[in-house]
């Protein structure tokens, strides 16, 4: 039996509760309610000092094309609870003609972002905003995680090239494709994933595997056959049997290539003591007249191993990073959340909403939220979360939501930029999709401009993010109103 195929922008890319809530909204007095949701995350991944925002283009593609095909509706119609259809005929009919019609504002892809600040805002009909929650989180959380890991790996490699080698270990075909895209944005120079190369225009790189060498009667025969078949792309994997002996054989074949007008690209080492083997291999290559030949290294690399190898004097030119990059090794997920912050009835005023918790980090921020990044002489001073309906004062102060004793004020001379930019209006893009190269360039520029203390792996400097004073005060009022409802009526905007 063949597995059923799904269309990539199906409205069923959602969790069940979102469909249940949409039906509930449409069947209640909330049917015409407008809402403002925001996406934020609670901590930087990998214990680091920054995050790279990624995945926005996929979000926009999905929202513009999102539909419920007839087979989607039929599936929902077949679902029952206690023998009764879960979804009403009216709800199913709405889904047949559903098109996403809300507004989206977001921080551009490739931007450096920090915990506690909205990186995306969705505003519009409440059912529209709710239906897309899991799809948005899926795309932003995963790609931001991988882009951040790639940025850390590339930072550790310095000026050396990093190639993403992770398809075979990625979390399924879709995960492999998204990971290749995010890794390229994060700074990787190329990918071994040919579908990603086709889909996104990422440079493709590849050598040969151990099985190539093993398929021939000798390593020398294998190298000669590869040089004959691929004279313009000869990087020899030299560690199938004995690494340094493999290097010497690669050099012998490279001399034959040179006589035929071609140059060996280099060698790859995939096991053993990469520091010592690369140092010895570099000497062999240089002494033989191949100083331009590059040494590629792979073998479960990550940012920490690369730093260690460099400290040991490794002579590696290109780093092939696979498993630990595309699986975001040591942190399998990013804690991005999507929260309701305000609602209004048609023609009415926005009413702030809050979720409180025993854990301070899980208390949400009320209002229709924006973020401003303040600068002094080009240096980032801090990011302030504010309500766009009540712009900050000329010399604003912000308060750390996790520690109200921590406050930071910005002088009138400070410049600022709005981080959330219009992306979609009434479900349609307001500007053309960005090219991958433009997003990648933004990421590189922002990484270069960031203070080095925020990029270190051990005890990175924490970048200040806080709530504008009136948002902090409103949040405190709403918390008290919910914790002591007998003493406070429902708080609304002052």
């Amino acid at each position: 039996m063949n597995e059923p195929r799904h269309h990539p922008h199906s409205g069923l890319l959602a969790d069940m509760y979102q469909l249940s809530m949409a039906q509930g909204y449409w069947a209640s007095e909330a049917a015409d309610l407008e809402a403002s949701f925001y996406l934020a995350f609670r901590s930087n991944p990998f214990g680091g000092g920054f995050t790279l925002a990624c995945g926005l283009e996929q979000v926009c593609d999905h929202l513009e094309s999102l539909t419920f095909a007839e087979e989607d509706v039929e599936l929902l119609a077949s679902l029952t609870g206690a023998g009764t259809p879960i979804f009403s005929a009216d709800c199913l009919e709405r889904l047949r003609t559903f098109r996403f019609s809300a507004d989206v504002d977001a921080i551009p892809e490739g931007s450096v972002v920090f915990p506690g600040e909205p990186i995306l805002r969705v505003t519009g009909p409440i059912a529209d905003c709710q239906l897309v929650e899991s799809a948005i989180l899926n795309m932003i959380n995963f790609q931001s995680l991988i882009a951040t890991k790639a940025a850390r790996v590339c930072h550790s490699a310095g000026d050396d090239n990093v190639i993403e080698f992770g398809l075979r270990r990625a979390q399924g075909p879709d995960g492999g494709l998204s990971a290749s895209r995010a890794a390229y944005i994060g700074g990787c120079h190329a990918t071994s994933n040919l579908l990603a190369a086709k889909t996104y225009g990422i440079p493709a790189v590849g050598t040969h595997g151990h099985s190539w060498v093993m398929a021939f009667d000798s390593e020398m025969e294998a190298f000669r056959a590869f040089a004959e078949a691929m004279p313009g792309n000869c990087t020899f994997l030299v560690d199938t049997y004995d690494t340094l002996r493999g290097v010497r054989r690669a050099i012998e074949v490279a001399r034959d290539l040179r006589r035929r007008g071609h140059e060996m690209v280099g060698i790859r080492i995939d096991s053993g003591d990469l520091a010592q083997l690369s140092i010895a291999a570099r000497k062999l290559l240089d002494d033989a007249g191949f100083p331009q030949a590059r040494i590629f290294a792979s073998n479960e690399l990550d940012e920490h191993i690369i730093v260690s190898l460099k400290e040991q004097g490794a002579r590696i030119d290109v780093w092939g990073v696979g498993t630990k990059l595309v699986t975001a090794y040591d942190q399998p997920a990013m804690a991005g959340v999507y929260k309701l912050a305000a609602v209004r009835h048609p023609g009415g005023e926005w009413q702030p909403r809050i979720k409180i918790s025993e854990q301070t980090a899980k208390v949400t921020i009320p209002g229709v939220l924006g973020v401003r990044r303040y600068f002094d002489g080009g240096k980032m001073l801090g990011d302030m979360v504010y309500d766009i309906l009540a712009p900050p004062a000329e010399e604003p102060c912000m308060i750390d939501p996790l520690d109200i004793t921590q406050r930071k004020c910005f002088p009138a001379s400070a410049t600022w930029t709005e981080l959330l930019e219009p992306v979609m209006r009434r479900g349609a893009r307001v500007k053309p999709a960005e090219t991958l190269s433009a997003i990648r360039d933004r990421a590189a520029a922002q990484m270069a401009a960031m203070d080095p203390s925020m990029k270190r792996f051990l005890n990175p400097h924490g970048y200040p993010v806080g709530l504008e004073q009136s948002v902090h005060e409103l949040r405190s009022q709403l918390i008290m109103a919910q914790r002591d409802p007998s003493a406070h009526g429902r708080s609304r905007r002052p």
Side-chain angles (χ1 to χ4, degrees):
M1 179 179 176
N2 292 329
E3 291 188 12
R5 295 178 62 84
H6 67 276
H7 69 89
H9 302 298
S10 168
L12 295 185
L13 185 59
D15 286 308
M16 180 71 172
Y17 78 93
Q18 288 144 25
L19 273 295
S20 301
M21 292 168 72
Q23 172 168 274
Y25 290 138
W26 287 330
S28 72
E29 62 182 16
D32 296 324
L33 203 63
E34 289 184 284
S36 184
F37 286 76
Y38 70 92
L39 188 157
F41 56 94
R42 296 186 177 121
S43 60
N44 288 313
F46 316 112
F50 68 92
T51 300
L52 273 187
C54 195
L56 179 61
E57 287 298 329
Q58 275 65 30
V59 167
C60 293
D61 287 345
H62 179 72
L63 297 183
E64 273 198 317
S65 305
L66 189 153
T67 59
F68 289 85
E70 188 57 36
E71 58 265 31
D72 298 339
V73 177
E74 289 173 0
L75 170 67
L76 296 173
S78 72
L79 301 179
T80 60
T84 303
I86 291 175
F87 294 100
S88 67
D90 179 66
C91 174
L92 297 173
E93 194 56 39
R94 280 180 178 265
L95 294 176
R96 283 189 173 93
T97 59
F98 179 84
R99 293 294 183 275
F100 179 75
S101 62
D103 298 343
V104 178
D105 296 81
I107 295 176
E109 277 196 279
S111 298
V112 174
V113 293
F114 302 96
E117 62 189 16
I119 64 174
L120 179 143
R121 185 179 72 235
V122 182
T123 307
I126 192 167
D128 291 46
C129 300
Q130 196 79 72
L131 280 169
V132 300
E133 174 181 355
S134 289
I136 291 175
L137 284 170
N138 174 277
M139 296 170 192
I140 298 292
N141 275 336
F142 179 68
Q143 290 204 45
S144 297
L145 185 69
I146 301 302
T148 305
K149 185 69 168 181
R152 289 166 59 86
V153 169
C154 293
H155 177 63
S156 71
D159 294 331
D160 301 341
N161 285 0
V162 176
I163 302 171
E164 176 267 305
F165 273 2
L167 176 59
R168 66 183 61 196
R169 304 281 174 78
Q171 318 294 25
D174 294 340
L177 197 60
S178 296
S180 294
R181 178 184 186 274
Y184 187 64
I185 288 172
C188 290
H189 292 77
T191 181
S192 63
N193 184 344
L194 288 173
L195 184 57
K198 174 190 173 184
T199 304
Y200 301 119
I202 303 171
V205 172
T207 58
H208 64 73
H210 291 107
S211 56
W212 173 267
V213 177
M214 296 162 63
F216 292 83
D217 291 336
S218 71
E219 188 174 53
M220 180 63 79
E221 185 181 349
F223 286 176
R224 291 193 188 282
F226 194 73
E228 186 67 29
M230 304 283 286
N233 186 36
C234 274
T235 301
F236 299 107
L237 180 58
V238 296
D239 72 318
T240 305
Y241 304 122
D242 179 280
T243 301
L244 295 183
R245 187 169 59 192
V247 175
R248 294 184 182 96
R249 287 171 175 164
I251 289 170
E252 187 173 339
V253 175
R255 290 190 177 114
D256 292 337
L257 269 173
R258 181 173 285 174
R259 283 191 287 269
R260 292 189 284 137
H262 301 286
E263 286 292 323
M264 171 177 67
V265 175
I267 63 166
R268 177 161 72 96
I269 306 172
D270 187 52
S271 61
D273 187 328
L274 295 180
Q276 294 304 311
L277 288 171
S278 66
I279 292 169
R282 182 76 272 160
K283 186 175 189 311
L284 288 171
L285 291 166
D286 291 350
D287 290 349
F290 293 95
Q292 82 292 341
R294 293 184 292 174
I295 298 177
F296 294 68
S298 48
N299 190 24
E300 302 298 318
L301 299 175
D302 64 10
E303 63 269 44
H304 305 291
I305 294 173
I306 291 173
V307 167
S308 176
L309 286 168
K310 281 181 165 289
E311 289 174 347
Q312 297 171 60
R315 299 297 303 276
I316 295 166
D317 305 296
V318 182
W319 306 85
V321 186
T323 303
K324 292 186 177 181
L325 171 53
V326 302
T327 63
Y329 182 79
D330 76 13
Q331 180 162 340
M334 196 167 85
V337 295
Y338 183 84
K339 296 300 182 182
L340 178 66
V343 297
R344 71 176 175 184
H345 291 279
E349 294 184 357
W350 284 105
Q351 301 174 28
R353 291 289 188 263
I354 192 169
K355 172 196 173 294
I356 64 173
S357 170
E358 298 300 322
Q359 296 174 255
T360 304
K362 288 192 172 185
V363 178
T364 62
I365 309 171
V368 183
L369 303 176
V371 187
R372 286 185 179 177
R373 178 165 292 169
Y374 286 82
F375 299 87
D376 182 15
K379 180 182 178 181
M380 293 164 52
L381 298 178
D383 291 0
M384 184 172 66
V385 181
Y386 73 101
D387 191 318
I388 65 172
L389 302 178
E394 185 177 352
E395 296 186 30
C397 292
M398 68 180 192
I399 301 164
D400 186 336
L402 301 181
D403 181 358
I404 61 173
T405 66
Q406 297 295 317
R407 302 184 176 217
K408 186 177 183 70
C409 297
F410 302 106
S413 59
T415 59
W416 52 266
T417 186
E418 292 285 355
L419 295 189
L420 295 174
E421 299 180 359
V423 175
M424 303 182 78
R425 288 294 179 265
R426 297 189 59 81
R429 289 179 186 260
V430 297
K431 56 185 177 182
E434 284 195 288
T435 65
L436 197 62
S437 60
I439 298 169
R440 187 172 186 270
D441 288 347
R442 177 183 296 117
Q446 295 211 6
M447 283 292 297
M450 202 188 325
D451 190 284
S453 66
M454 294 191 291
K455 293 184 281 189
R456 65 190 180 215
F457 299 150
L458 185 62
N459 297 323
H461 178 70
Y463 179 78
V465 174
L467 304 182
E468 189 269 334
Q469 191 161 351
S470 65
V471 173
H472 165 73
E473 292 170 356
L474 174 63
R475 185 171 181 257
S476 299
Q477 292 171 16
L478 291 173
I479 290 170
M480 294 307 298
Q482 292 297 332
R483 287 183 171 161
D484 188 8
S486 63
H488 301 269
R490 179 181 288 276
S491 293
R492 295 175 181 267
R493 182 175 306 285

